[in-house]
Coordinates of all heavy atoms in Angstrom, one line a residue:
H191 N 9.5 2.8 9.2 CA 8.7 2.6 10.4 C 7.3 3.4 10.3 O 6.3 2.9 10.8 CB 9.5 3.1 11.6 CG 10.4 2.1 12.1 ND1 10.0 1.1 12.9 CD2 11.8 2.0 12.0 CE1 11.1 0.3 13.2 NE2 12.2 0.8 12.7
N192 N 7.4 4.6 9.7 CA 6.1 5.3 9.5 C 5.1 4.6 8.6 O 3.9 4.7 8.9 CB 6.4 6.7 9.0 CG 6.9 7.7 10.0 OD1 7.1 8.9 9.7 ND2 7.1 7.3 11.2
L193 N 5.6 3.9 7.6 CA 4.8 3.2 6.7 C 4.0 2.1 7.4 O 3.0 1.7 6.9 CB 5.6 2.7 5.5 CG 6.0 3.8 4.5 CD1 7.0 3.1 3.5 CD2 4.9 4.5 3.8
T194 N 4.6 1.6 8.5 CA 3.9 0.4 9.2 C 3.2 0.9 10.4 O 2.7 0.1 11.2 CB 5.0 -0.6 9.6 OG1 6.0 0.0 10.5 CG2 5.7 -1.2 8.4
D195 N 3.1 2.2 10.6 CA 2.5 2.8 11.8 C 1.0 2.9 11.5 O 0.6 3.7 10.6 CB 3.1 4.1 12.1 CG 2.5 4.7 13.4 OD1 1.5 4.2 13.9 OD2 3.1 5.7 14.0
P196 N 0.1 2.2 12.2 CA -1.3 2.3 12.0 C -1.9 3.7 12.1 O -2.8 4.1 11.4 CB -2.0 1.4 13.0 CG -0.9 0.4 13.4 CD 0.4 1.2 13.3
A197 N -1.3 4.5 13.0 CA -1.7 5.9 13.1 C -1.5 6.7 11.9 O -2.1 7.8 11.8 CB -1.1 6.5 14.4
L198 N -0.6 6.3 11.0 CA -0.2 7.1 9.8 C -0.7 6.4 8.6 O -0.3 6.7 7.5 CB 1.3 7.3 9.8 CG 1.9 8.0 10.9 CD1 3.4 8.1 10.8 CD2 1.4 9.5 11.0
H199 N -1.7 5.5 8.7 CA -2.1 4.7 7.6 C -2.7 5.6 6.5 O -2.6 5.2 5.3 CB -3.2 3.7 8.1 CG -3.8 2.9 7.0 ND1 -3.1 1.8 6.4 CD2 -5.0 2.9 6.3 CE1 -3.8 1.3 5.4 NE2 -5.0 1.9 5.4
D200 N -3.4 6.7 6.8 CA -4.0 7.5 5.8 C -3.1 8.7 5.4 O -3.5 9.5 4.6 CB -5.3 8.1 6.4 CG -6.4 7.0 6.7 OD1 -6.4 6.0 5.9 OD2 -7.1 7.2 7.6
T201 N -1.9 8.8 5.9 CA -1.0 9.8 5.5 C -0.4 9.4 4.2 O 0.2 8.3 4.0 CB 0.1 10.0 6.5 OG1 -0.4 10.3 7.8 CG2 1.1 11.1 6.1
P202 N -0.5 10.3 3.2 CA 0.1 9.9 1.8 C 1.6 9.6 1.9 O 2.3 10.2 2.7 CB -0.1 11.2 1.0 CG -1.3 11.9 1.7 CD -1.2 11.6 3.1
I203 N 2.0 8.7 1.1 CA 3.4 8.3 1.1 C 4.4 9.4 0.8 O 5.4 9.6 1.5 CB 3.7 7.1 0.2 CG1 2.9 5.9 0.7 CG2 5.1 6.8 0.0 CD1 3.0 4.7 -0.3
H204 N 4.0 10.3 -0.1 CA 4.9 11.4 -0.4 C 5.0 12.4 0.7 O 6.1 13.0 0.9 CB 4.4 12.2 -1.7 CG 3.2 13.0 -1.5 ND1 1.9 12.5 -1.6 CD2 3.0 14.3 -1.1 CE1 1.0 13.5 -1.3 NE2 1.7 14.6 -1.0
V205 N 4.0 12.5 1.6 CA 4.1 13.3 2.8 C 5.1 12.7 3.8 O 6.0 13.4 4.4 CB 2.7 13.5 3.5 CG1 2.9 14.3 4.8 CG2 1.8 14.3 2.5
I206 N 5.0 11.4 4.0 CA 6.0 10.7 4.9 C 7.4 10.9 4.3 O 8.3 11.2 5.1 CB 5.6 9.2 5.0 CG1 4.3 9.1 5.8 CG2 6.7 8.4 5.7 CD1 3.8 7.7 5.9
A207 N 7.5 10.7 3.0 CA 8.8 10.8 2.4 C 9.4 12.2 2.6 O 10.6 12.4 3.0 CB 8.8 10.5 0.9
A208 N 8.6 13.2 2.4 CA 9.1 14.6 2.6 C 9.5 14.9 4.0 O 10.5 15.6 4.3 CB 8.0 15.6 2.2
R209 N 8.8 14.3 5.0 CA 9.1 14.5 6.4 C 10.5 13.9 6.7 O 11.2 14.4 7.6 CB 8.1 13.8 7.3 CG 6.8 14.5 7.4 CD 5.8 13.6 8.2 NE 4.5 14.2 8.3 CZ 3.4 13.6 8.8 NH1 3.5 12.4 9.3 NH2 2.3 14.2 8.8
W210 N 10.9 12.9 6.0 CA 12.2 12.3 6.2 C 13.3 12.7 5.2 O 14.3 12.0 5.1 CB 12.0 10.7 6.2 CG 11.3 10.3 7.4 CD1 10.0 9.9 7.5 CD2 11.8 10.1 8.7 NE1 9.7 9.6 8.8 CE2 10.8 9.6 9.6 CE3 13.1 10.2 9.3 CZ2 11.0 9.4 10.9 CZ3 13.3 10.0 10.6 CH2 12.3 9.5 11.4
G211 N 13.1 13.8 4.6 CA 14.2 14.4 3.8 C 14.2 14.0 2.4 O 15.2 14.1 1.7
F212 N 13.0 13.4 1.9 CA 12.9 13.0 0.5 C 11.8 13.9 -0.2 O 10.7 13.4 -0.3 CB 12.6 11.5 0.3 CG 13.7 10.6 0.8 CD1 13.7 10.1 2.1 CD2 14.8 10.3 0.0 CE1 14.6 9.3 2.6 CE2 15.8 9.4 0.5 CZ 15.7 9.0 1.8
P213 N 12.1 15.1 -0.7 CA 11.1 15.9 -1.2 C 10.6 15.5 -2.5 O 9.5 15.8 -2.9 CB 11.8 17.3 -1.4 CG 13.3 16.9 -1.5 CD 13.5 15.7 -0.6
R214 N 11.3 14.6 -3.3 CA 10.9 14.1 -4.6 C 10.4 12.7 -4.4 O 11.2 11.8 -4.1 CB 12.0 14.3 -5.6 CG 12.2 15.7 -6.0 CD 13.4 15.8 -7.0 NE 14.7 15.5 -6.3 CZ 15.4 16.4 -5.6 NH1 14.9 17.6 -5.4 NH2 16.5 16.0 -5.1
A215 N 9.1 12.4 -4.7 CA 8.5 11.1 -4.5 C 9.3 10.0 -5.3 O 9.5 8.9 -4.8 CB 7.1 11.1 -4.8
A216 N 9.6 10.3 -6.5 CA 10.3 9.3 -7.4 C 11.6 8.9 -6.8 O 12.0 7.7 -6.8 CB 10.4 9.9 -8.8
E217 N 12.4 9.9 -6.3 CA 13.7 9.6 -5.7 C 13.5 8.7 -4.5 O 14.2 7.7 -4.3 CB 14.4 10.9 -5.3 CG 15.7 10.6 -4.6 CD 16.3 11.9 -4.0 OE1 15.8 13.0 -4.4 OE2 17.2 11.8 -3.3
F218 N 12.5 9.0 -3.7 CA 12.2 8.2 -2.5 C 11.8 6.8 -2.9 O 12.3 5.8 -2.3 CB 11.1 8.8 -1.7 CG 10.6 8.0 -0.5 CD1 11.5 7.7 0.6 CD2 9.4 7.4 -0.5 CE1 11.0 6.9 1.6 CE2 8.9 6.6 0.5 CZ 9.8 6.3 1.6
S219 N 11.0 6.6 -3.9 CA 10.6 5.3 -4.3 C 11.7 4.5 -4.7 O 11.9 3.3 -4.4 CB 9.5 5.4 -5.4 OG 9.0 4.1 -5.7
R220 N 12.6 5.1 -5.5 CA 13.8 4.3 -6.0 C 14.7 3.9 -4.9 O 15.2 2.8 -4.8 CB 14.6 5.2 -7.0 CG 13.9 5.3 -8.4 CD 14.9 5.9 -9.4 NE 15.4 7.2 -9.0 CZ 14.8 8.3 -9.4 NH1 13.7 8.3 -10.1 NH2 15.3 9.5 -9.0
A221 N 15.0 4.9 -3.9 CA 15.8 4.6 -2.8 C 15.2 3.5 -1.9 O 15.9 2.6 -1.4 CB 16.1 5.9 -2.0

């Protein structure tokens, strides 16, 4: 949902992932 939120368009994906409990970007991408 955050990835489709226009207000968060400029927020890096790894930051969004960390907010939702995925501190490792690669793990988040695979999941």
Side-chain angles (χ1 to χ4, degrees):
H191 277 281
N192 279 182
L193 289 173
T194 61
D195 185 345
L198 298 176
H199 178 74
D200 295 327
T201 303
I203 290 175
H204 73 273
V205 173
I206 290 175
R209 288 175 181 172
W210 288 99
F212 294 96
R214 290 177 290 277
E217 177 190 349
F218 171 68
S219 184
R220 286 194 300 272

